[in-house]
């Protein structure tokens, strides 16, 4: 069965081409909200289940923090590409984009970890849609893509099919390994003979290593 997707909450501005990427990011990492903000604190777009005012205010505040960091005399702080803030009421990951834009991801209380694959996929999509260079610090060598996987049974984590262009394609598992941090890795093959790597993350999301053979 395909994974459950979150729906857009109540909005106070029109949907943009970035909305789908932000929504997929929220779903991939279990985040209540995400936003893209410019250097002046203006929200370009957002997605999630929280009040739009809350995520817009948070995005504006973190844009100010990044602007002040950029002006620091310390080269380490001035060149920072990511901030992670762990709080009792809510947590945040703030990621610098090109041209002084930033992606602000609101997380659950005391949450600190976030899927690097899910975040990098969102950064690639946003940069492509906006016609921007890759975000500073992005690992361009890894091209993980989130995919829908059907397992042998509900109690099994062994993949049996992958959802591609509106239909399930059967996969043969060639090998399995413990990828660490609660993740499972699989080497899979399609009926066409094409092989690729799958990773099941701790939260149950699946990623395939690109470029994909389909």
């Amino acid at each position: 069965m395909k994974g459950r997707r979150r729906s857009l909450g109540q909005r106070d501005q029109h949907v943009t081409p970035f909305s789908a990427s932000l929504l997929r990011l929220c779903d991939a990492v279990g985040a209540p909200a995400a936003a893209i903000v410019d250097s002046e604190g203006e929200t370009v777009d957002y997605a999630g289940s929280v009040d739009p005012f809350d995520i817009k205010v948070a995005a504006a505040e973190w844009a100010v923090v990044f602007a002040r960091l950029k002006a620091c005399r310390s080269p380490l702080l001035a060149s920072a590409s990511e901030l992670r803030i762990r709080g009792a009421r809510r947590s945040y990951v703030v990621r610098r984009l090109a041209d002084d834009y930033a992606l602000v991801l609101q997380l659950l209380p005391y949450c600190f970890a976030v899927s690097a694959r899910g975040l990098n996929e969102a950064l690639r999509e946003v940069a492509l849609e906006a016609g921007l260079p890759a975000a500073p610090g992005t690992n361009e060598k890894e091209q993980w893509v989130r995919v829908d996987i059907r397992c042998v049974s509900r109690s099994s984590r062994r993949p049996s099919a992958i959802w591609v262009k509106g239909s399930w394609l059967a996969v043969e598992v060639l090998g399995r390994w413990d990828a660490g941090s609660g993740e499972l890795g699989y080497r899979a093959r399609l009926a066409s003979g094409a092989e690729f790597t799958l990773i099941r993350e701790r939260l149950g999301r699946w990623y395939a290593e690109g470029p994909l053979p389909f």
Side-chain angles (χ1 to χ4, degrees):
M1 180 180 294
K2 294 176 67 179
R4 183 179 179 181
R5 293 287 188 265
R6 294 180 180 220
S7 60
L8 285 169
Q10 184 178 357
R11 294 181 62 86
D12 62 359
Q13 69 183 59
H14 293 299
V15 171
T16 76
F18 303 112
S19 302
S21 295
L22 294 175
L23 189 62
R24 283 194 293 271
L25 174 60
C26 289
D27 185 70
V29 302
I36 299 172
V37 62
D38 64 20
S39 59
E40 297 181 352
E42 185 71 23
T43 296
V44 177
D45 198 5
Y46 64 91
S49 57
V50 306
D51 188 290
F53 178 78
D54 291 340
I55 186 59
K56 286 184 175 182
V57 169
E61 291 176 343
W62 289 119
V64 171
V65 171
F66 249 147
R68 291 185 176 180
L69 284 177
K70 190 175 181 180
C72 285
R73 295 182 179 179
S74 167
L76 182 62
L77 293 177
S79 62
S81 61
E82 182 175 300
L83 297 176
R84 297 197 181 199
I85 302 91
R86 184 172 182 255
R89 299 183 63 181
R90 57 184 65 86
S91 301
Y92 293 95
V93 170
V94 188
R95 192 67 164 75
R96 191 189 300 277
L97 305 177
D99 290 356
D100 291 331
Y101 288 90
L103 187 151
V104 178
L105 183 63
Q106 181 180 320
L107 303 174
L108 297 174
Y110 298 110
C111 182
F112 198 70
V114 65
S115 168
R117 299 181 185 91
L119 183 57
N120 283 334
E121 183 178 28
L123 293 174
R124 292 198 310 270
E125 291 180 354
V126 168
L128 181 63
E129 188 63 48
L132 295 173
T138 301
N139 186 349
E140 297 186 66
K141 294 182 179 180
E142 292 191 359
Q143 299 288 321
W144 293 96
V145 178
R146 189 176 171 194
V147 293
D148 288 302
I149 294 294
R150 186 171 62 191
C151 294
V152 175
S153 66
R154 290 186 177 182
S155 60
S156 173
R157 297 179 179 179
R158 186 180 181 87
S160 63
I162 184 171
W163 184 260
V164 177
K165 298 178 181 178
S167 62
W168 290 105
L169 297 183
V171 299
E172 176 188 2
V173 174
L174 303 177
R176 166 184 162 170
W177 67 94
D178 184 348
S181 302
E183 298 182 346
L184 292 176
Y186 294 88
R187 188 64 181 172
R189 180 166 59 195
L190 299 175
S192 64
E195 297 183 10
F196 56 100
T197 297
L198 289 171
I199 293 289
R200 183 189 186 277
E201 294 192 337
R202 185 170 54 86
L203 294 180
R205 276 72 169 183
W206 288 87
Y207 287 86
E209 187 176 21
L212 300 180
F214 44 77

